[in-house]
């Protein structure tokens, strides 16, 4: 290819040119096929070129592509909000449509702040979040995230956010400590953090129900989120569940928190909401929060040009229709169990696989130098980058990342295949992944 004028993610390498997609496969201009084992970054929940989504988008484009939300609403935005609210945890009453995950997180933070201003508690300004989490790359969302590497060089630009421990049982649950005691210890840490920051000064606690990109499909221990909810309630703090990656069916229920038995005050969603057919995200908000703004100033002091974009809403509504019509949440649970079984069979006894974890079609594999001590590979080896290269060479897309433990040490691979993935494709995914891991480790050792 001639010299590129696109500022790519890597300034040293131009990636292959994607020209076509079909189901769980992406094809490049050289005719190579890649099995989409990660849905890009946990986005393509229905795979590529789904005819029903394309038809819905075509119909919307023919009727009206865009109308600014300060002048109009659209039928598709209304229908999508109705659908998402009907299926949401109790009390969630409204959807605020933006164009992606970071925008959703920014909007949620501002909504939390405005809520407290509206109800006469303007001294609530602190945000607490967890280390080893990712909430987006815009400055507010980056500040909230606990990914040390992503934050480091931008630290002078970031608002102050307090970070507490993640719920990461494989690494942090102590010997002799039950899952319940571990969850209790973390809830106590959160409570002490709220107290240290000062009574009545914390506005929100932000957490991913299943940690995605930074730690690799880390689920919380049972009861953790219920305890966290209690602590937030005791201190009048809003709980913001960031489901940008783990939500919209990825873990087998439409909202990941359903499986934790708690109701957040705000939920951010994106990625699987539009399945990659259009850029779209949303904040799902409790009536209590929206009501405070309704009865107070009467508006949410925020906004972007592309809020509630009609084609994005049409695509997203079609994605949600297909998930419901085709019973895909049950399929995620079934195929997820199949993926886990395959990974355990292929990698469960691997000397360099420390943990296989996740929920539904959202799975993580953590690599270690030594299983007994859980010691990690030398970060200088960039094992995760080698795995990605080796996987691509085998025609497989996966989402590996380094810095699993502290932003520097540790490597994992995140898997998030489309909900329509077949048994045969799961076989290929597992086989190619195992080959890529072995080849990468061999190289790293050489
Ligand atoms: C949990 C979570 N929140 C927010 C974001 C940011 O979303 P976006 O990349 O669409 O801005 C991501 C992206 O990976 C994410 O995983």
């Amino acid at each position: 290819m001639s010299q590129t004028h696109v500022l790519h993610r890597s300034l040293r390498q131009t990636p292959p040119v994607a020209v076509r997609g079909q189901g769980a496969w992406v094809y490049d201009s050289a005719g190579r096929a890649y099995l989409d084992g990660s849905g890009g970054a946990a986005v393509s929940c229905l795979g590529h070129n789904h005819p029903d989504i394309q038809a819905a988008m075509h119909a919307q484009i023919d009727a009206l592509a865009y109308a600014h939300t300060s002048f109009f609403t659209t039928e598709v935005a209304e229908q999508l909000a109705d659908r998402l609210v009907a299926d949401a945890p109790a009390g969630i009453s409204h959807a605020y449509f933006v164009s992606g995950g970071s925008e959703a997180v920014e909007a949620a933070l501002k909504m939390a702040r405005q809520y407290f201003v509206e109800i006469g508690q303007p001294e609530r300004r602190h945000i607490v979040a967890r280390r080893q989490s990712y909430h987006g790359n815009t400055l507010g969302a980056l500040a909230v995230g606990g990914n040390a590497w992503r934050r480091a060089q931008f630290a002078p630009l970031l608002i102050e956010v307090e970070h507490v421990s993640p719920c990461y049982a494989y690494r942090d649950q102590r010997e002799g400590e039950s899952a319940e005691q571990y969850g209790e210890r973390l809830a106590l840490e959160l409570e002490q953090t709220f107290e240290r920051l000062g009574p009545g000064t914390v506005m929100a606690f932000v957490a991913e129900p299943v940690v995605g990109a930074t730690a690799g499909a880390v689920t919380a221990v049972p009861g953790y989120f219920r305890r966290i909810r209690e602590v937030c309630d005791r201190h009048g703090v809003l709980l913001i569940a960031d489901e940008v990656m783990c939500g919209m069916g990825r873990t087998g229920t439409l909202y990941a928190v359903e499986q934790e038995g708690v109701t957040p005050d705000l939920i951010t969603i994106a990625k699987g909401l539009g399945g990659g057919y259009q850029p779209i995200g949303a904040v799902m908000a409790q009536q209590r929060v929206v009501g405070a703004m309704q009865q107070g100033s009467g508006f949410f002091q925020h906004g972007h040009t592309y809020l509630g974009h009609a084609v994005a809403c049409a695509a997203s509504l079609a994605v949600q229709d297909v998930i419901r019509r085709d019973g895909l949440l049950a399929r995620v649970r079934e195929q997820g169990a199949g993926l886990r079984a395959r990974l355990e069979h292929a990698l469960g006894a691997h000397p360099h696989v420390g943990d296989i974890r996740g929920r539904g079609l959202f799975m993580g594999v953590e690599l270690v130098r030594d299983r007994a001590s859980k010691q990690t590979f030398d970060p200088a080896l960039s094992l995760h980058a080698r795995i990605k290269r080796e996987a691509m060479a085998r025609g497989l897309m996966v989402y590996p990342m380094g810095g699993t433990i502290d932003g520097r040490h540790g490597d994992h691979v995140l898997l998030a295949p489309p909900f329509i993935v077949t048994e045969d494709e799961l076989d290929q995914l597992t086989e190619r992944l195992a080959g890529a891991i072995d080849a990468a480790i061999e190289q790293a050792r050489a």
Side-chain angles (χ1 to χ4, degrees), residues 100-103 105 134-137 208 213 242 244-245 270-271 399:
S102 301
E103 278 190 12
V105 170
Y134 179 59
H135 299 296
N137 255 336
E208 293 170 81
D242 182 355
V244 164
M245 196 177 248
K271 297 193 187 262
Y399 196 31

Side-chain angles (χ1 to χ4, degrees), residues 111-124:
M111 206 180 286
R113 168 66 188 163
Q114 187 173 331
Y115 165 73
F116 285 114
V117 172
E118 301 271 6
I119 64 167
Q121 298 183 25
E123 53 297 326
R124 286 196 186 266

Side-chain angles (χ1 to χ4, degrees), residues 170 338-357 363-368 371 383 387 396 398 411-415 426-441:
Y170 171 63
L339 175 58
R340 180 187 290 274
R342 283 170 175 82
L343 291 173
E344 272 165 7
H345 184 255
L347 298 169
H350 193 288
H352 298 296
V353 171
D355 195 25
I356 298 170
R357 57 192 176 227
M363 296 293 296
V365 175
E366 183 167 335
L367 287 312
V368 287
R371 276 169 76 113
L383 181 65
I387 294 174
L396 173 66
V398 291
D411 299 89
H412 67 263
V413 182
L414 186 67
L415 302 171
L426 288 178
D427 288 341
Q428 295 186 54
L429 190 168
T430 310
E431 197 187 309
R432 292 179 189 194
L433 174 63
I437 288 175
D438 283 341
I441 290 174

Side-chain angles (χ1 to χ4, degrees), residues 272-330:
L273 175 60
Y277 287 88
Q278 284 287 286
I280 183 166
V283 182
M284 304 302 300
Q286 282 284 337
Q287 175 58 47
R288 169 165 79 98
V289 175
V290 178
M293 296 190 288
Q294 256 163 356
Q295 285 140 37
S297 63
F299 79 117
F300 175 35
Q301 193 179 347
H302 191 56
H304 297 288
T305 301
Y306 295 122
L307 289 186
H309 193 282
V311 181
C313 289
S316 178
L317 183 60
V319 168
Q320 299 312 311
D321 281 343
V322 168
I323 288 175
R324 182 183 279 189
R325 182 196 71 195
D326 296 351
L328 292 182
L329 296 181

Side-chain angles (χ1 to χ4, degrees), residues 9 41-43 99-105 133-138 141 150 207-214 241-247 268-271 279-281 362 399 401 414:
R9 284 176 181 251
V43 174
S99 301
S102 301
E103 278 190 12
V105 170
S133 60
Y134 179 59
H135 299 296
N137 255 336
T138 49
R150 291 193 200 243
E208 293 170 81
V210 180
V211 182
T214 299
D242 182 355
E243 299 212 1
V244 164
M245 196 177 248
C246 63
T268 52
I269 51 177
K271 297 193 187 262
I280 183 166
F362 197 40
Y399 196 31
M401 194 70 85
L414 186 67

Side-chain angles (χ1 to χ4, degrees), residues 178-194:
S178 69
E180 195 182 43
Q181 288 165 334
Y182 176 44
E184 190 65 61
R185 171 158 66 86
L186 294 174
L188 187 64
E189 179 190 344
L190 184 66
E191 184 138 41
Q192 287 169 344
T193 304
F194 288 172

